Amino acid sequence: MGRPRFMRPKGEDGKSTPNLFVANCGPAVGISYASIASVFSTFGEVKEVNAADESGARVIISYSEASSAEAALKAMDGRPCPDLGGRSLHIRFSIAQPSCLGPTHDLIPVSLMASELNIPGLYLLHDFVSVEEEKELLAAVDDRRWINLSKRRVQHYGYEFCYETRNVNTKQYLGELPSFVSPILERIPLFKNVDSSAGLTLDQLTVNEYPLGVGLSPHIDTHSAFDGLIFSLSLAGPCIMEFRRYSEEAGLLEALSTTDIEMERSGQCSDFLRKAIYLPPRSMLLLSGEARYAWQHYIPHHKIDLVKESVIRRGARRVSFTLRRVRRGPCQCEYPQYCDSQRS
């Protein structure tokens, strides 16, 4: 079920709890969780220190006893702390977050390698293209027409993806993929688990440009639209990508299996596994098998990501090249419960 989550209380009722909300403190300002725990343990047993939000500059400190939290607040609120870089801390008691406040925003461990996530069919290759090739790819798309969506810009090649129907029209062929992606296609065999001919059959490219702080809602690329391999090249800026798999008992997957459409019930209380990976610029991600068909992928709407207690600031833009093959027959995957073509 994950760890308990806490929040800053609304109002200033002064009710004491064993948990403190501490602002101006955390990895984003150069203070590790271990240092925070060491300083605050002066006032009693610290059970844990967690991020309060995605900023990296606010934490929740949980004591075993409320009296320890009271003593820490009285001694440290509004005063410079020499052992924490001389920063003045802003402290309030923290209350338990209700279980049904919508999507959870607590942080989860972020892996650097796909193998650490143990999601079958998920692969990540770093430095798939060089710095110079990255510049050339960005220049190539910036020289072409962008389509403006509500929060980002896109380009489509081969076939256009229709966001209203969440599918492609195979009768509206836009032509061969542009020559600037040829070097990418030639390197597809670098993924050892992919047949060497796979790169020749990819026929749809979507280029997305995400401004600073803009992510992607949880989704599974439509089964009926695309075959089983999805490649995504990250350029210009870093991000983390989260993966979610809902329990079948929760019954949450009657919601649409979709590309770029937020899951219908993602704002409700839910039971799902969560895992996350860091995608540096120039890395190529492959979704296949279970990772492609059964796990939602999601880019949180953050300006700052915390990766192993390091603060990673996103760039002014992130551009992704997503390469797929348009499906021309019924989906026969092993995950019909997640398949849009299996629902009436």
Side-chain angles (χ1 to χ4, degrees), residues 175-213:
E176 295 183 357
L177 297 185
S179 60
F180 60 77
V181 298
S182 296
I184 300 175
L185 298 177
E186 293 170 358
R187 292 176 194 167
I188 292 301
L190 290 174
F191 288 94
K192 303 302 183 182
N193 296 78
V194 175
D195 186 277
S196 60
S197 63
L200 302 177
T201 60
L202 298 173
D203 57 8
Q204 199 276 334
L205 167 65
T206 296
V207 181
N208 284 282
E209 180 194 60
Y210 301 93
L212 176 62

Side-chain angles (χ1 to χ4, degrees), residues 3-15:
R3 63 174 176 79
R5 291 182 293 274
F6 298 91
M7 59 185 290
R8 179 175 178 172
K10 295 181 179 179
E12 302 292 339
D13 57 10
K15 182 180 179 180

Side-chain angles (χ1 to χ4, degrees), residues 88 133 179 332:
S88 293
E133 288 171 325
S179 60
Q332 298 179 340

Side-chain angles (χ1 to χ4, degrees), residues 26-69:
V29 293
I31 303 173
S32 70
Y33 294 151
S35 297
I36 297 168
S38 177
V39 170
F40 278 82
S41 63
T42 304
F43 304 95
E45 181 185 359
V46 174
K47 295 170 58 178
E48 58 181 348
V49 178
N50 291 302
D53 52 35
E54 299 88 353
S55 70
R58 291 180 283 271
V59 299
I60 299 295
I61 299 172
S62 297
Y63 282 101
S64 297
E65 302 290 340
S67 58
S68 300

